[in-house]
Amino acid sequence: MRLHKLTLRDFRGVKDRTVELPADGTTVVIGDNEIGKSSLVEAFALIFELPDDSKSTRIRDIQPVGQDVGPEVTAEVSFGPLRMRYLKRWLKGRSTELSVTGADGRKRDWTGREAHNEAERIFNQHVDPVLWQTLMVSQGQSLVQPTPADAEPLIAAVNAESGTPVDGASMPLVIAVEQEYLRYWTKGGKPTGEFARSAQAVATAQELATRAAKAMDEVAADVRKAERLADELDDLSVRLADHLREVEVLRERKRTTDEILLRRDSARDRASLARARLDNHTRIRRERERLTGEVERLTEAEAELATLRAETETVARKAAEAVRDAEAVLADAVELKDFRRESVQQAEQLLSELTDRSELERLVGQQTELADVRARIATATSVLDGIRIDDDAVTALEDARARVVEARAALAAGVPEVDVRRLGSASVELAGSGVDAGAGSMPGELGDGGAAQLLVSGELTVTVPGQLSLTVRAGGEAATLRAGLDEAVRRERDLLGRAGVRDLADAREMLRRGDTASAELQEARRTERSLTAGGDPAERIALLSARLGIVPGGEEEEPEPSASPAGGKAVEGVPGQMSLFEGLFDDLDSAIEDSSVDPAELLAAVAGDGARVEAAQEALEEARAELAQAERLVADAEFTAVQARKAADADRAEAAQVRARSELAVERLAAATDALAAARVEASDEDAEAREAEALAEVEALLLELTSVQDQADAVGADEVAGLLDDALSVAARLQAERDTLRDSLRTTEGRLEQSGRDGLATRLDTAELELASVRDVWEALNRRAEAAFRVHETLGRHRAEAQSRYSDPLQSRIEALGRGVYGPSFRVTLDDDLAVSERELDGVRLNVDALSTGAREQLAIITRLAISHLVSTGEGSVPVIFDDALGWSDKGRLRDMGALLGRAGDHGQVIILTCMPERYEYVPRATFIRLEP
């Protein structure tokens, strides 16, 4: 089969598109995503599968969304000598048209369902479905390894190539065995058809028989359960009657003891009231005693606190005086520290100025070096800017010079060389075109004894006036050689002109100077980066000059006079440190004559400050030491002041606390005295004691009465009777509930037994067992035939597998031959029973296909399909190889090798590739590229 032309109208997103494909060779169809490449393959499949009146959702899916139109596909296909034009339109305006031209040139037409049936018949007659599905790789399926064992054209091809005989007479037997096997078994070896239904019938009958037997067992169990429940109910009824009699005895006993318990409760209540009155009188008497003791204790405490209050107030006054003394000492120490801090600051200022002068000297030297480096950078940059040549240009000039030399040598070897000499006095004149005189130009006339050696690629005329005229003409090849020389010279001159050099030697010298300048520039820039790593020295110089007061004009600003610490008044014990620096700057030359700050003069202005820096450093360290001493004095004074404040605060707090306690004690004493007086107004101390004694006698009498009643209750066990009766009633309720439960369970069991008798369970069991025996006989007969068919099918399949292993060699050889063009000579494969590649060997390493990388698996699947196509390409069952969006996981080297393989595959059939990435197939030789435009 060959696909020649395919037209789609209103098909998914395609409005109207026609694609014509070469019958042989490799064709690459290019288009962006969603332009309709995959729709071409889908449309070709649908036109042969579904009639125009199909209601399949696949047809609804191809109709453009929101458009009431009929998808239409037209295909022009050839099947060997038959040429077919097939049109089909679905949904809107349904139509099917088929036109077939035979080998004899006769044309036949069909329409409607007849056209569909005839096209389907021709397609199925000439196209093996397994081979078609194997060689048509849909989008996203390029990794699937083909399993073509059931493709009849491939089997015929490998049999023909391997020489394995095909026993046609055995095919009916194979088919018959396969049909008999499929009567009883599925392809996977599971029961099917009548055999499976018989087995199911046996299982159903077995289940019914089992259920009937189980029902009979349940009836027997219910009989035994009913007997057991009746016995348990009788026993429980007897026990319940005995227990109810015990309950009545306890109720009578409780009525007798309730009267005793009432008298005990009355005596207990009266005793409780008497005890409450006794407790009240006892509380009154104890409160009277407490108030008397409280007044005595508070009187003594108030006297002690008055004495302590006077003492603590005296201590607080002395602590306040100590605080004032400590704060005065602290103020003197702080004044000393402040003076010494000002001395340190002046020493630090002097040291900073000297340090800045030293740093300024270093920066001026660095700026001078930086100016030299930047001059070198400017020089090297200027040299590089003037160079318009590089290594590639020199290489091109060398190639051009070599071509000139080669062209000149070819010209010298291929055209006449004329040597003209003037021997006498007669003049010799030279004229012509296409004459090469070497480095010079051809002379018009030779002087006395003159000579010229000329290469003639055109025409040369040598004339001796009045005596001789000689014309030399070059052959036809000379013009070609001359043109080659002229082209080589022109190209050399162009290259020299673009490079701005006279010749190749000048170009090489310029390139050398450029390399030298580039190296000089890199070194100078590294030095510049090193010098400017901390910033531009000029900025630091300007900043330090301004800070030091060095201004253009050579004048150094005079510093403002600073006041001495504490208004010039010295602090006792602190020497005047600043006197150490007097005279250090007497010899400083601060005059700068130029209007601008010259680096050399600036260096002179700040030179020689090293020793002064050391002296300033020593003075600063001495001032800092004295400041540290003053800070220690302040710290000691602060500590003493803090401790004094803490002691004064503690003494003051203690005095306040004693004063508050004294005042509180006075208030409490007054309150206790008032409370004692008020209580004695209500009752004297003697009356309170007498009332307590009377209440105590009453309580003792009531306790004697309560003890007597309790003895009577204990004698008859009055307290236990109520509990015994409650326990007995609880047991009676539980026994009654158990009796009711047993009675209900017995009634339910008897009801089931009565229903079982009406259902005829014994008859059902007999019927189920007879049915089971009947269906089991049928199944055993079918099982014998099924087992026989299984054994014959297994034996025949084993022999077919052995034969298949013999005719798999041609396919394996073809795959390995194609694969070695991609992977090299060590490429080997192993095929399984379905003729699918199961293992790949490369450089002695054997791997399962599933263990290969994604790209390797895709490449192996493509190679296998191309090998299958190559084997069946000469037979009537050949079909195109179609790849939709393949080679997406291959690197550039493998794309080159696979492209060459795809190009060679087109020599044996029709290969169609659909892609949105044309660069993957730029290495496919002799391919036809078709671009789908939007």
Side-chain angles (χ1 to χ4, degrees):
M1 182 186 76
R2 294 290 184 268
L3 177 59
H4 302 285
K5 186 175 181 180
L6 198 60
T7 300
L8 278 64
R9 291 188 179 90
D10 298 324
F11 192 100
R12 292 193 183 276
V14 178
K15 182 62 179 176
D16 191 345
R17 173 171 290 117
T18 298
V19 178
E20 296 187 14
L21 302 166
D24 295 298
T26 302
T27 302
V28 181
V29 180
I30 304 168
D32 296 335
N33 289 328
E34 299 184 3
I35 201 171
K37 301 185 302 298
S38 300
S39 296
L40 296 173
V41 180
E42 182 183 14
F44 187 73
L46 287 177
I47 196 174
F48 286 100
E49 291 181 21
L50 300 178
D52 57 20
D53 59 351
S54 173
K55 304 299 183 183
S56 172
T57 56
R58 296 171 62 190
I59 299 300
R60 291 291 180 186
D61 290 341
I62 65 174
Q63 185 182 36
V65 178
Q67 300 183 35
D68 187 18
V69 294
E72 179 181 315
V73 178
T74 303
E76 293 187 14
V77 192
S78 62
F79 300 94
L82 298 181
R83 180 82 176 207
M84 172 191 293
R85 183 182 184 278
Y86 189 25
L87 178 147
K88 185 172 290 184
R89 184 166 55 250
W90 294 273
L91 300 176
K92 187 78 171 179
R94 298 194 306 270
S95 176
T96 302
E97 299 176 5
L98 174 64
S99 178
V100 178
T101 303
D104 55 0
R106 294 179 57 189
K107 181 179 179 182
R108 298 187 61 189
D109 296 322
W110 292 266
T111 60
R113 177 60 69 134
E114 292 182 354
H116 173 80
N117 294 338
E118 181 63 17
E120 186 178 33
R121 183 191 67 78
I122 294 174
F123 185 84
N124 293 332
Q125 179 182 356
H126 291 86
V127 176
D128 180 77
V130 176
L131 182 64
W132 172 242
Q133 293 298 325
T134 299
L135 299 185
M136 184 180 68
V137 182
S138 302
Q139 190 175 35
Q141 300 298 316
S142 61
L143 297 178
V144 178
Q145 300 296 323
T147 55
D150 294 330
E152 291 298 333
L154 176 63
I155 301 303
V158 296
N159 283 334
E161 185 165 324
S162 64
T164 303
V166 179
D167 187 3
S170 65
M171 293 305 295
L173 175 61
V174 173
I175 295 173
V177 169
E178 184 71 17
Q179 291 176 349
E180 182 66 15
Y181 173 81
L182 293 177
R183 283 184 59 191
Y184 305 103
W185 307 95
T186 64
K187 287 186 178 294
K190 295 182 179 180
T192 188
E194 184 182 0
F195 181 44
R197 290 192 296 272
S198 177
Q200 182 62 40
V202 171
T204 302
Q206 181 66 57
E207 183 179 0
L208 291 176
T210 301
R211 289 179 181 175
K214 183 178 178 181
M216 289 298 295
D217 293 340
E218 291 175 353
V219 169
D222 283 343
V223 170
R224 292 191 297 273
K225 182 178 180 181
E227 294 174 352
R228 177 178 56 78
L229 289 174
D231 294 340
E232 291 179 357
L233 183 60
D234 293 340
D235 179 67
L236 186 61
S237 299
V238 172
R239 288 190 287 117
L240 178 59
D242 294 341
H243 192 75
L244 290 176
R245 285 192 293 271
E246 293 179 2
V247 169
E248 291 300 326
V249 171
L250 287 173
R251 283 176 176 168
E252 181 64 25
R253 182 180 174 188
K254 185 174 183 300
R255 285 193 291 270
T256 303
T257 58
D258 283 346
E259 181 181 356
I260 298 174
L261 293 177
L262 287 174
R263 287 192 288 113
R264 187 188 65 183
D265 292 341
S266 175
R268 185 175 292 166
D269 292 340
R270 286 184 283 113
S272 177
L273 291 174
R275 185 180 294 277
R277 287 192 295 272
L278 174 61
D279 292 341
N280 185 50
H281 292 307
T282 301
R283 179 185 60 77
I284 293 172
R285 191 257 308 166
R286 290 177 178 173
E287 178 65 14
R288 185 71 51 81
E289 293 176 353
R290 186 191 69 77
L291 287 174
T292 303
E294 183 73 8
V295 168
E296 294 175 356
R297 183 181 65 79
L298 290 175
T299 301
E300 295 176 358
E302 193 276 334
E304 294 175 356
L305 287 173
T307 303
L308 182 60
R309 177 177 177 179
E311 294 175 354
T312 55
E313 288 177 350
T314 300
V315 171
R317 284 193 299 273
K318 292 181 179 179
E321 294 174 358
V323 168
R324 286 193 294 274
D325 295 340
E327 288 177 347
V329 173
L330 176 60
D332 293 341
V334 169
E335 182 180 1
L336 176 62
K337 183 185 74 172
D338 291 342
F339 175 76
R340 290 184 175 177
R341 180 180 291 110
E342 291 178 2
S343 299
V344 170
Q345 291 173 353
Q346 293 178 8
E348 288 176 344
Q349 181 178 358
L350 177 61
L351 178 61
S352 176
E353 181 177 352
L354 292 174
T355 303
D356 288 345
R357 290 176 179 273
S358 177
E359 176 66 11
L360 182 59
E361 180 180 2
R362 185 188 67 79
L363 289 174
V364 169
Q366 182 176 332
Q367 186 182 32
T368 302
E369 184 180 359
L370 182 60
D372 294 340
V373 170
R374 286 175 174 167
R376 288 164 53 197
I377 291 175
T379 301
T381 303
S382 176
V383 172
L384 290 175
D385 291 342
I387 294 176
R388 296 181 294 168
I389 198 166
D390 55 11
D391 291 336
D392 293 338
V394 171
T395 301
L397 282 172
E398 291 173 346
D399 292 342
R401 176 94 293 257
R403 290 192 182 96
V404 170
V405 173
E406 292 172 359
R408 194 178 299 279
L411 182 65
V415 300
E417 181 178 1
V418 179
D419 189 359
V420 182
R421 296 180 182 273
R422 180 177 174 179
L423 301 179
S425 59
S427 64
V428 178
E429 298 176 359
L430 304 176
S433 62
V435 179
D436 189 0
S441 59
M442 181 184 69
E445 183 178 358
L446 296 179
D448 292 340
Q453 291 182 342
L454 307 173
L455 294 176
V456 182
S457 57
E459 183 178 280
L460 171 67
T461 301
V462 182
T463 303
V464 180
Q467 297 182 19
L468 174 67
S469 177
L470 175 65
T471 300
V472 180
R473 295 185 181 89
E477 186 181 359
T480 303
L481 296 174
R482 166 58 65 181
L485 176 58
D486 293 342
E487 174 62 23
V489 171
R490 184 194 60 76
R491 174 169 175 77
E492 183 183 30
R493 287 174 180 170
D494 289 344
L495 291 175
L496 289 172
R498 287 198 295 270
V501 295
R502 295 186 303 276
D503 52 22
L504 179 59
D506 191 16
R508 288 171 175 165
E509 175 60 23
M510 183 177 290
L511 181 62
R512 185 194 63 75
R513 286 189 284 109
D515 293 341
T516 302
S518 178
E520 176 67 18
L521 179 62
Q522 292 178 3
E523 176 63 26
R525 283 180 175 164
R526 282 197 296 270
T527 305
E528 181 187 28
R529 287 194 296 271
S530 175
L531 293 174
T532 59
D536 192 347
E539 297 178 1
R540 292 281 297 156
I541 288 173
L543 179 63
L544 290 176
S545 297
R547 186 188 301 171
L548 292 171
I550 299 176
V551 298
E555 299 267 340
E556 183 172 355
E557 296 178 354
E558 291 294 332
E560 292 290 337
S562 58
S564 61
K569 179 180 179 180
V571 180
E572 184 178 357
V574 181
Q577 292 89 344
M578 296 308 298
S579 62
L580 297 175
F581 308 118
E582 294 179 357
L584 286 177
F585 301 120
D586 293 342
D587 56 350
L588 177 63
D589 182 13
S590 61
I592 300 176
E593 297 178 356
D594 293 344
S595 60
S596 61
V597 180
D598 181 72
E601 296 181 358
L602 188 61
L603 280 174
V606 300
D609 288 336
R612 298 170 186 168
V613 170
E614 295 178 0
Q617 183 67 42
E618 292 176 358
L620 175 62
E621 291 176 357
E622 182 179 351
R624 285 175 176 169
E626 293 179 351
L627 174 62
Q629 180 183 6
E631 289 175 345
R632 286 194 296 273
L633 292 175
V634 170
D636 293 342
E638 287 178 345
F639 178 77
T640 302
V642 169
Q643 295 299 320
R645 291 191 193 98
K646 288 182 179 180
D649 292 341
D651 293 340
R652 189 165 49 253
E654 183 178 2
Q657 184 180 7
V658 170
R659 183 167 57 252
R661 288 166 54 195
S662 175
E663 293 172 354
L664 180 61
V666 171
E667 293 176 359
R668 287 179 176 175
L669 176 60
T673 303
D674 293 342
L676 179 61
R680 285 174 174 169
V681 169
E682 292 181 0
S684 64
D685 296 343
E686 293 78 6
D687 291 341
E689 292 177 357
R691 292 174 183 174
E692 181 183 11
E694 292 176 358
L696 178 61
E698 183 182 6
V699 168
E700 290 175 350
L702 289 173
L703 288 176
L704 290 175
E705 180 182 356
L706 180 60
T707 300
S708 174
V709 176
Q710 183 63 45
D711 291 341
Q712 295 178 14
D714 292 339
V716 297
D719 292 326
E720 292 80 8
V721 171
L724 293 175
L725 178 60
D726 291 340
D727 294 341
L729 290 173
S730 176
V731 172
R734 180 179 58 78
L735 292 176
Q736 288 174 346
E738 290 181 5
R739 181 192 62 187
D740 295 340
T741 300
L742 287 173
R743 186 178 296 160
D744 294 341
S745 180
L746 179 59
R747 290 172 180 172
T748 301
T749 304
E750 291 173 344
R752 282 202 307 271
L753 289 173
E754 183 179 357
Q755 183 64 37
S756 299
R758 289 195 298 267
D759 289 343
L761 292 180
T763 303
R764 287 170 54 192
L765 178 60
D766 294 340
T767 302
E769 289 176 347
L770 290 174
E771 179 65 20
L772 175 60
S774 175
V775 296
R776 182 172 289 164
D777 291 341
V778 174
W779 176 81
E780 289 175 351
L782 290 173
N783 185 56
R784 287 192 296 271
R785 293 195 293 272
E787 290 293 334
F790 186 87
R791 287 193 296 273
V792 173
H793 181 270
E794 183 182 21
T795 303
L796 185 60
R798 185 171 62 255
H799 288 291
R800 289 189 68 193
E802 294 173 357
Q804 189 178 32
S805 66
R806 290 193 300 271
Y807 63 66
S808 65
D809 292 340
L811 178 59
Q812 180 177 344
S813 300
R814 193 61 52 89
I815 294 173
E816 291 176 349
L818 295 178
R820 284 166 188 157
V822 178
Y823 296 101
S826 64
F827 177 75
R828 300 284 189 280
V829 295
T830 302
L831 304 184
D832 59 15
D833 294 340
D834 293 328
L835 298 184
V837 177
S838 59
E839 294 178 341
R840 187 206 71 180
E841 181 180 345
L842 194 63
D843 297 329
V845 178
R846 183 181 296 273
L847 292 175
N848 190 283
V849 170
D850 295 335
L852 299 177
S853 67
T854 304
R857 283 188 284 126
E858 182 185 47
Q859 295 153 16
L860 188 57
I862 293 174
I863 291 171
T864 303
R865 289 183 170 91
L866 294 179
I868 295 170
S869 174
H870 194 180
L871 283 171
V872 302
S873 62
T874 58
E876 294 183 356
S878 65
V879 295
V881 184
I882 301 176
F883 296 108
D884 188 358
D885 193 21
L887 291 181
W889 290 276
S890 299
D891 56 43
K892 190 171 183 179
R894 289 289 166 80
L895 285 176
R896 187 186 303 274
D897 297 334
M898 291 300 294
L901 185 63
L902 289 169
R904 293 194 299 272
D907 298 338
H908 303 283
Q910 188 180 30
V911 179
I912 301 173
I913 300 171
L914 307 175
T915 183
C916 61
M917 303 289 289
E919 58 270 19
R920 297 179 187 169
Y921 303 97
E922 61 184 5
Y923 303 109
V924 180
R926 302 181 300 282
T928 300
F929 287 84
I930 299 175
R931 181 172 293 277
L932 303 182
E933 300 297 338

